[in-house]
Each structure stands twice: as structure tokens, then as C-alpha cells.
Amino acid sequence: ATDPLYKDGVGGGPDYSGVPNTYFALRKGGRITLYQDADIVENSLPEIKLDRGMIFKHRRCWEDICMAILGAHHMIYIAGWSIYCRTKLVRRTDRNLPEPAFYNLGELLKFKSRELVRVLLLVWDDKTSRRVISNKGVMGTHDEETRRYFKHSSVQCVLAPR
């Protein structure tokens, strides 16, 4: 059954200045970074011209995520559909980055938790990934493997039902 309190999202009516039928109020001051791909090779993608003569700067999504994790001092909160502890964020060894940048995601998060950064993961629980069935699940989200990987660590990993 649908909760009637949230069936229409937040706000509504002619006086509402936010985005209708959404669950979070409109806020100012946020920013977004657009990516062509998760990782790129220098000068491999075409130049994209933007308004006012600007040129789109291609960035490395995984590397930016890695650097944000490395730069965290208090808390890291990751929520996602498929969070895989063995994902390599930085895949090119020629990058001039500190050594932890070359860890996989699980190692990197454990490293930060040992620095007393609070690390919280909210992972989608694929109901088909149970030992009784096959443990891999229909969607291949690695949810059970990731949960087990962090089980006896200070990283808090919670599987959330859809």
C-alpha cells in the first residue's frame, strides 16, 4: 500500500516554488559534475563546446570519487544500487596519486575507517542474492559479497530493501 502522506511528494499548488512531486525540497548552493564516462584516457574524447565559448572539461569520475574519499575527515556516506567492494577506482598506474588511491573501493573505505572517519554504506538488497538461491542474484549487484567483506570492520554496511 502506498503511504498517502508521500503519494504526491513535497509541496504542490500554485504557491509552491520547488519541483513538484519530489520528495526533497529545492535547495540553493548545490553543484553537479557531469561525466562522459567513468574513466578516460587523456585527449581520447572530442572537444564539446558549451554556451558562452566555454569548453566542457572531461573528468575521471572514479578518480574524483577516490580523491573525495581520501579527502574525507569526518564521514563518508555512500548509497547505491550496486556498490562492489572490489571495484578499482583508479585503474591507471601512471597517475601521480598517493598510494591509497590505488586500493580497491573496499580497501580504501577500510583504510579511511581506520583513520577514524565514519564510513556508512547503504546498499540495495537484491532479494534474489541469497545462499539458498545462488548468492549472486539476478541483478549482479554484489550486495551480499560487499556486506560480508565489511562484516568485521568498522565500516557500517546495511542492505536496504527496495
Side-chain angles (χ1 to χ4, degrees):
T2 303
D3 186 337
L5 184 61
Y6 297 109
K7 73 177 180 57
D8 294 321
V10 174
D15 298 328
Y16 183 66
S17 62
V19 179
N21 301 319
T22 59
Y23 294 99
F24 301 101
L26 185 63
R27 300 187 192 285
K28 292 184 180 184
R31 63 187 171 130
I32 185 169
T33 302
L34 302 176
Y35 294 93
Q36 171 82 18
D37 206 340
D39 193 24
I40 59 167
V41 176
E42 289 294 328
N43 302 316
S44 64
L45 296 174
E47 187 176 270
I48 300 173
K49 295 181 182 185
L50 304 172
D51 287 347
R52 290 177 253 164
M54 296 175 62
I55 304 293
F56 177 75
K57 182 181 183 308
H58 295 285
R59 300 182 54 129
R60 292 180 169 86
C61 179
W62 290 128
E63 193 171 301
D64 286 356
I65 291 170
C66 179
M67 297 312 290
I69 291 170
L70 282 173
H73 297 289
H74 304 288
M75 184 173 79
I76 298 166
Y77 182 79
I78 301 174
W81 175 72
S82 178
I83 300 169
Y84 186 35
C85 57
R86 299 188 194 287
T87 298
K88 292 292 279 184
L89 297 177
V90 177
R91 297 162 187 196
R92 300 189 53 206
T93 57
D94 63 339
R95 305 292 296 153
N96 186 22
L97 301 171
E99 184 184 337
F102 298 101
Y103 296 170
N104 67 37
L105 178 61
E107 294 165 339
L108 184 59
L109 293 174
K110 283 183 176 181
F111 170 80
K112 290 305 289 188
S113 72
R114 286 191 297 272
E115 289 185 339
L116 303 180
V117 173
R118 187 169 185 203
V119 180
L120 308 167
L121 302 178
L122 184 64
V123 181
W124 179 51
D125 185 9
D126 178 359
K127 294 293 185 187
T128 65
S129 62
R130 299 289 187 264
R131 288 181 192 209
V132 177
I133 300 170
S134 73
N135 207 39
K136 290 192 181 203
V138 173
M139 302 305 290
T141 60
H142 305 282
D143 58 327
E144 289 294 331
E145 182 179 351
T146 297
R147 182 189 57 78
R148 279 192 310 277
Y149 181 85
F150 292 114
K151 188 172 184 174
H152 297 291
S153 75
S154 54
V155 174
Q156 292 179 286
C157 180
V158 175
L159 300 185
R162 199 169 94 135

